[in-house]
Amino acid sequence: MGDHRGDDRGVIASPNIWHWPAVYEEENRAQDPRGAVYAALREDADWAGLDIVDVGCGTGFHLGMFAETARSVIGIEPHPPLVEAARRRVGHLDTVRVLTGSAAHMPIPNGSVDLVHARTAYFFGPGCGAGITESMRVLRPGGALAVIDLDATAYLYGEWMLADLPHYQPRVVEAFFDAQGFSSRRIDTEWNFPDRDSLERVLGIEFGPKVAARAVRETPGTTLAVRYRLHIRRKPRSIEVGSLRS
Ligand SMILES: C[S@@+](CC[C@H](N)C(=O)[O-])C[C@H]1O[C@@H](n2cnc3c(N)ncnc32)[C@H](O)[C@@H]1O
């Protein structure tokens, strides 16, 4: 999460979903079953009737939900096996396409979408200037870039994140978003697992063995409290000179 150098496309290795896509699917199903994150996003940047990009879409878990009300949805993903998986998932949806690309290189025209969404998007943070510039290019005036990530300052889950990533500095990440003109809010959620085995599998792909074992020990049941951050930056609308004249 703290490393924003990535490869020459700015792509950050994502071992959880790259190596264990089936367990990551379990994780996505467990996350926030009441939809608090979707609700906050809808309040701040509703996509109904609009054109949206989900960048770093992984296996496309969120694409169908966006397609329920959006005019069109484009998933963009750099990792080829996940591009294929996302295409398989949304093949039956006419308004959804999945393209190979990255936050810094989105294969779509200038000013062609209203919302760029990036979820559990550790490729947005200090060092991701190219992704912000690219998002501003593809957005229409007034459109929004929405970055959603886990908040390492809250609950046991945050403590495990910090234990697993000793160089990660949440305050530095948050200061970066403030300095780049993003609004910020925090969203409290629960992750609910069907059973202990599922919870343990997910903790096992999110953390190294030592922290995963600690997380399993410190979790009595099948629910975790997890807080998210939602950061939004809007592309300015052009100022109409006529409207400034008295
Ligand atoms: C933790 S996964 C989240 C996937 C998806 N957003 C979800 O919520 O299911 C992070 C994803 O970001 C992708 N990724 C990594 N670096 C990226 C970059 N620079 N631009 C776009 N996507 C990137 C990874 O390949 C991976 O699919």
Side-chain angles (χ1 to χ4, degrees):
M1 277 185 72
D3 181 355
H4 292 286
R5 288 165 296 172
D7 68 7
D8 55 4
R9 297 165 301 160
V11 174
I12 311 284
S14 308
N16 52 9
I17 192 170
W18 286 9
H19 301 324
W20 296 282
V23 180
Y24 199 81
E25 183 77 10
E26 284 185 81
E27 177 171 339
N28 256 333
R29 282 200 299 264
Q31 288 190 22
D32 185 23
R34 293 195 198 122
V37 176
Y38 289 158
L41 182 60
R42 206 173 270 120
E43 270 171 36
D44 291 358
D46 193 7
W47 55 90
L50 302 181
D51 300 311
I52 134 156
V53 164
D54 183 10
V55 64
C57 70
T59 60
F61 185 86
H62 304 285
L63 299 177
M65 184 282 302
F66 285 123
E68 285 170 17
T69 57
R71 176 167 50 202
S72 74
V73 181
I74 301 173
I76 296 181
E77 167 60 41
H79 191 57
L82 298 183
V83 172
E84 289 311 311
R87 283 186 179 148
R88 281 195 298 277
R89 188 197 289 270
V90 299
H92 62 293
L93 297 173
D94 292 345
T95 55
V96 185
R97 288 184 293 152
V98 179
L99 305 175
T100 303
S102 68
H105 300 282
M106 299 193 215
I108 57 175
N110 294 352
S112 56
V113 296
D114 305 287
L115 175 62
V116 174
H117 163 267
R119 170 135 170 173
T120 46
Y122 33 72
F123 47 92
F124 274 109
C128 74
I132 297 175
T133 303
E134 179 70 342
S135 299
M136 293 299 127
R137 178 186 74 76
V138 303
L139 283 170
R140 299 189 175 109
L145 165 59
V147 178
I148 297 169
D149 209 348
L150 301 175
D151 183 347
T153 67
Y155 304 120
L156 280 171
Y157 199 93
E159 290 180 29
W160 304 328
M161 287 171 71
L162 296 179
D164 205 46
L165 299 163
H167 301 296
Y168 182 71
Q169 294 180 280
R171 298 297 169 210
V172 170
V173 173
E174 291 180 30
F176 168 82
F177 282 109
D178 286 349
Q180 291 293 322
F182 285 79
S183 64
S184 299
R185 68 190 275 191
R186 298 180 198 279
I187 305 152
D188 288 307
T189 72
E190 282 184 352
W191 292 8
N192 290 324
F193 295 87
D195 51 51
R196 285 286 295 183
D197 286 349
S198 179
L199 175 135
E200 291 183 19
R201 275 194 295 276
V202 166
L203 291 173
I205 66 166
E206 284 304 326
F207 303 114
K210 208 170 144 197
V211 175
R214 172 184 161 192
V216 168
R217 264 197 322 276
E218 292 180 350
T219 306
T222 53
T223 298
L224 297 172
V226 180
R227 182 177 288 169
Y228 291 78
R229 293 178 278 112
L230 167 60
H231 303 284
I232 293 191
R233 181 181 179 183
R234 288 209 173 259
K235 177 168 176 168
R237 290 179 197 279
S238 54
I239 298 171
E240 293 193 23
V241 175
S243 67
L244 295 178
R245 295 201 184 108
S246 54

